């Protein structure tokens, strides 16, 4: 009965205990009404609540964004084997274990033990010799009461750190998906450039052969032969450079997949890669909930806010309860009888009197860390808005640039065709053919680069909008 009264008193004491430190409240941040760089019609669609909203690009699953099945396979492989992602997952497990350790401080600790000993004392002038056996079994408990909320605040901080590590893991997932897609599109662009260079090289070798035949027959000069050779050597020089870049890109992509350097299977060509007809960016306010780096920064802010309460609680006395119960007897047969039972119960209070300013400095340190975490959180939000704006502008402008590059290539290709006709008809010299062939070759390679940049801009926009981590 007495023990029950004590436990009820302790429970009442804990429920009326206070919690030190400020309660967390999400900071007010400046959120723009629309993204800078967004097309006017997209901004109007985002703000119009009367019409059905299109799913923002950042909320789409990555396997819906990337339609190349081979690319999807590579991403799935990377999500299973990539070492950065596995390291991030291990850190989540560390945070889970740390939360369990911290939370355990809120509960009492129980321990038990037993001992048996034979004791023989020799005879002395005052005491005759004797021999006895002592056996004991006991259970003890100790409980540091969380009256000031120190352990609860520490648990709150540990839980926020766990969530921060989970969002950091999601950030690694998003970055990995974007990196694999980027590396794959770059590899397919190199493949296309190599294909163009080899095709151009074969065509120019045939043109050189015909020019040599004409020169041998006296129908043209040796200068035309030399100019035709320049076209061959220009295309030929591109081949080993591109082959080197392809091998190195495959090595890089293999590491992203968590594999040793090796060949990488291909799927659709660069020109077959499909892009969504629309890239709705959604509301800027939704970015605060979707970007993993912002969510991670906020959880770190919550943890820093809770640590202030831990530091302030150190100013107040620490209240502890202890209890012990067991049996002790000189005869093992009587160890668990009533007279052999014993118990103790006690409470203690400890108050720090002088620490040379340690406690005050601890509170100041926690407050400074909370201020740092707040600034990091606000900076993360501004950086996110900038990355989205940059990506929107890049995607729109790279698409416009690609259209112009297509027109340029068509014009250069037609100019090369006309110059060949003029040269065959004897109207112009081979220098005109050399110039227009060089321009057409450069324009075709530039068009490949423009198509690659458009795909990479889409990947960057998808990542900037907080996409890629949803599973």
């Amino acid at each position: 009965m007495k023990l029950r009264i004590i436990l009820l008193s302790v429970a009442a004491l804990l429920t009326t205990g206070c919690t030190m430190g400020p309660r967390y409240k999400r900071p007010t941040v400046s959120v723009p009404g629309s993204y800078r760089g967004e097309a006017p019609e997209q901004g109007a669609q985002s703000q119009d609540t009367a019409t059905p909203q299109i799913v923002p690009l950042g909320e789409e699953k990555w396997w819906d964004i990337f339609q190349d099945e081979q690319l999807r396979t590579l991403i799935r492989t990377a999500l299973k084997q990539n070492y950065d992602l596995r390291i991030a997952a291990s850190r989540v497990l560390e945070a889970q274990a740390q939360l369990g350790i911290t939370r355990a401080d809120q509960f009492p600790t129980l321990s038990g033990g037993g001992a048996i000993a034979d004791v023989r004392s020799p005879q002395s002038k005052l005491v005759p010799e004797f021999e006895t056996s002592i056996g004991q079994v006991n259970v003890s408990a100790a409980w540091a009461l969380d009256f000031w909320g120190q352990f609860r605040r520490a648990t709150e901080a540990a839980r926020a750190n766990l969530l921060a590590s989970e969002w950091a893991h999601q950030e690694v997932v998003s970055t990995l998906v974007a990196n694999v897609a980027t590396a794959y599109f770059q590899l397919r662009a190199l493949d296309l450039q190599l294909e163009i260079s080899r095709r151009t090289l074969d065509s120019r070798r045939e043109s050189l052969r015909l020019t040599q035949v004409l020169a041998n027959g006296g129908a043209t000069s040796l200068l035309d032969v030399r100019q035709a050779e320049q076209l061959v050597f220009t295309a030929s020089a591109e081949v080993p450079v591109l082959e080197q870049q392809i091998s190195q890109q495959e090595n890089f992509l293999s590491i992203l997949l968590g594999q040793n350097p090796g060949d990488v299977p291909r799927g659709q060509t660069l020109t077959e890669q499909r892009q969504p007809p629309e890239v709705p960016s959604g509301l800027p306010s939704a970015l605060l909930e979707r970007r993993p780096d912002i969510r991670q920064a906020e959880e770190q802010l919550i943890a820093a806010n809770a640590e202030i309460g831990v530091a302030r609680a150190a100013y107040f006395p620490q209240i502890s309860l202890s209890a012990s119960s067991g049996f002790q007897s000189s005869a093992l047969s009587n160890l668990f009888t009533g007279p052999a039972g014993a118990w103790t119960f006690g409470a203690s209070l400890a108050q720090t009197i002088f620490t040379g300013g340690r406690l005050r400095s601890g509170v100041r340190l926690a407050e400074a860390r909370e201020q740092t975490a707040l600034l990091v959180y606000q900076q993360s939000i501004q950086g996110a808005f900038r990355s989205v704006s940059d990506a929107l502008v890049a995607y729109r402008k790279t698409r416009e640039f690609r259209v112009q590059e297509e027109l340029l290539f068509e014009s250069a290709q037609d100019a090369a065709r006309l110059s060949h006709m003029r040269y065959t008809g004897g109207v112009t010299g081979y220098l005109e053919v050399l110039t227009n062939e060089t321009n057409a070759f450069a324009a075709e390679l530039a068009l490949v680069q423009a198509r690659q940049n458009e795909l990479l801009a889409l990947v960057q926009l998808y990542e900037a909008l907080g996409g890629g981590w949803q599973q």
Side-chain angles (χ1 to χ4, degrees):
M1 177 64 70
K2 189 178 297 185
L3 181 60
R4 183 179 299 177
I5 294 174
I6 293 173
L7 292 177
L8 291 175
S9 301
V10 170
L13 190 65
L14 289 177
T15 55
T16 56
C18 56
T19 303
M20 297 291 102
R23 293 186 179 275
Y24 175 75
K25 182 179 180 182
R26 174 177 284 186
T28 302
V29 294
S30 176
V31 178
S34 61
Y35 295 110
R36 185 172 188 266
E38 191 176 41
E41 60 274 10
Q42 291 181 344
Q45 290 176 357
S46 299
Q47 298 178 8
D48 187 4
T49 58
T51 58
Q53 293 294 310
I54 302 175
V55 178
L57 180 68
E59 295 183 9
E60 294 279 0
K61 304 295 189 297
W62 58 260
W63 53 85
D64 293 329
I65 297 297
F66 307 120
Q67 299 296 315
D68 189 332
E69 189 56 42
Q70 187 56 55
L71 174 57
R72 292 172 177 172
T73 301
L74 295 177
I75 293 176
R76 292 189 184 100
T77 302
L79 292 176
K80 292 179 181 178
Q81 302 179 176
N82 180 266
Y83 279 99
D84 289 335
L85 190 57
R86 291 159 68 182
I87 291 171
S90 297
R91 287 173 178 161
V92 173
L93 297 179
E94 290 178 14
Q96 288 176 344
Q98 185 59 53
L99 173 59
I101 293 172
T102 304
R103 187 171 178 268
D105 291 335
Q106 299 183 52
F107 301 95
T109 58
L110 299 175
S111 59
I116 184 171
D118 289 332
V119 180
R120 183 182 185 279
S121 178
Q123 182 180 358
S124 64
K125 292 181 179 181
L126 300 177
V127 180
E129 67 174 23
F130 69 91
E131 182 175 349
T132 184
S133 295
I134 300 175
Q136 66 176 14
V137 176
N138 67 341
V139 176
S140 60
W143 194 0
L145 301 183
D146 191 23
F147 186 76
W148 313 111
Q150 179 181 16
F151 300 145
R152 280 170 285 169
R153 285 299 193 194
T155 301
E156 180 184 348
R159 186 175 290 109
N161 284 327
L162 170 60
L163 293 176
S165 66
E166 291 176 348
W167 282 112
H169 176 266
Q170 304 292 20
E171 172 69 10
V172 175
V173 172
S174 178
T175 302
L176 179 61
V177 170
N179 287 345
V180 172
T182 296
Y184 181 77
F185 290 145
Q186 290 173 336
L187 179 62
R188 298 308 280 142
L190 291 172
D191 290 337
L192 183 55
Q193 288 176 335
L194 180 61
E195 177 187 336
I196 293 171
S197 297
R198 286 174 173 171
R199 184 180 70 242
T200 302
L201 178 59
D202 292 340
S203 175
R204 290 181 177 181
R205 280 174 175 169
E206 178 63 19
S207 179
L208 173 60
R209 187 188 66 81
L210 294 176
T211 304
Q212 288 173 335
V213 170
L214 293 175
N216 293 335
T220 188
S221 66
L222 184 60
L223 178 61
D224 290 344
V225 175
R226 293 293 179 259
Q227 290 173 338
E229 288 176 345
Q230 292 177 38
L231 291 176
V232 171
F233 298 150
T234 300
S236 180
E238 289 290 332
V239 173
V241 174
L242 291 170
E243 290 175 339
Q244 172 191 340
Q245 293 176 345
I246 287 173
S247 296
Q248 292 174 341
Q249 189 68 13
E250 285 182 321
N251 293 342
F252 172 68
L253 192 49
S254 297
I255 298 303
L256 288 178
L257 301 178
Q259 301 173 349
N260 291 325
D263 295 334
V264 175
R266 269 71 154 179
Q268 298 174 354
T269 64
L270 188 73
T271 55
E272 293 173 339
Q273 300 295 331
R274 287 176 290 176
Q275 301 182 45
E278 296 183 13
V279 284
S281 54
L283 294 173
S285 57
L287 196 66
L288 305 184
E289 304 295 334
R290 195 165 57 239
R291 285 262 306 211
D293 57 336
I294 295 178
R295 298 296 299 273
Q296 178 191 1
E298 184 176 13
E299 293 299 336
Q300 290 171 340
L301 175 59
I302 294 174
N305 182 80
E307 289 292 348
I308 296 177
V310 176
R312 289 183 180 176
Y315 275 112
F316 299 91
Q318 305 301 306
I319 304 172
S320 300
L321 302 178
S322 61
S324 176
S325 177
F327 299 90
Q328 181 174 342
S329 175
S330 59
L332 294 181
S333 60
N334 298 326
L335 181 60
F336 295 103
T337 61
W343 62 269
T344 62
F345 178 83
S348 65
L349 184 146
Q351 172 64 59
T352 302
I353 298 176
F354 178 74
T355 60
R358 179 187 296 272
L359 298 181
R360 182 173 63 253
S361 297
V363 173
R364 290 177 178 176
L365 176 62
E367 291 174 343
R369 286 176 174 172
E370 190 269 346
Q371 182 64 25
T372 301
L374 173 61
L375 295 174
V376 170
Y377 173 65
Q378 294 171 335
Q379 184 184 47
S380 299
I381 294 174
Q382 284 194 347
F385 287 140
R386 179 200 168 182
S387 62
V388 172
S389 177
D390 289 347
L392 284 169
V393 173
Y395 185 68
R396 190 171 75 252
K397 294 304 178 182
T398 52
R399 172 167 288 192
E400 294 175 4
F401 181 76
R402 187 257 306 162
V403 172
Q404 297 303 314
E405 285 295 311
E406 288 177 344
L407 298 175
L408 175 61
F409 169 64
E410 292 173 0
S411 177
Q413 191 178 42
D414 193 51
R417 180 185 62 82
L418 293 175
S419 64
H420 270 286
M421 294 175 59
R422 285 164 55 83
Y423 174 73
T424 303
V427 178
T428 186
Y430 203 81
L431 179 60
E432 181 179 304
V433 176
L434 171 65
T435 300
N436 288 288
E437 281 282 351
T438 302
N439 292 340
F441 182 50
E444 189 169 11
L445 294 180
L447 177 58
V448 174
Q449 188 67 38
R451 285 171 173 162
Q452 171 193 296
N453 291 340
E454 185 178 1
L455 287 169
L456 298 188
L458 174 64
V459 175
Q460 293 169 359
L461 178 58
Y462 181 54
E463 182 184 12
L465 288 171
W469 58 269
Q470 300 93 333
Q471 300 297 314

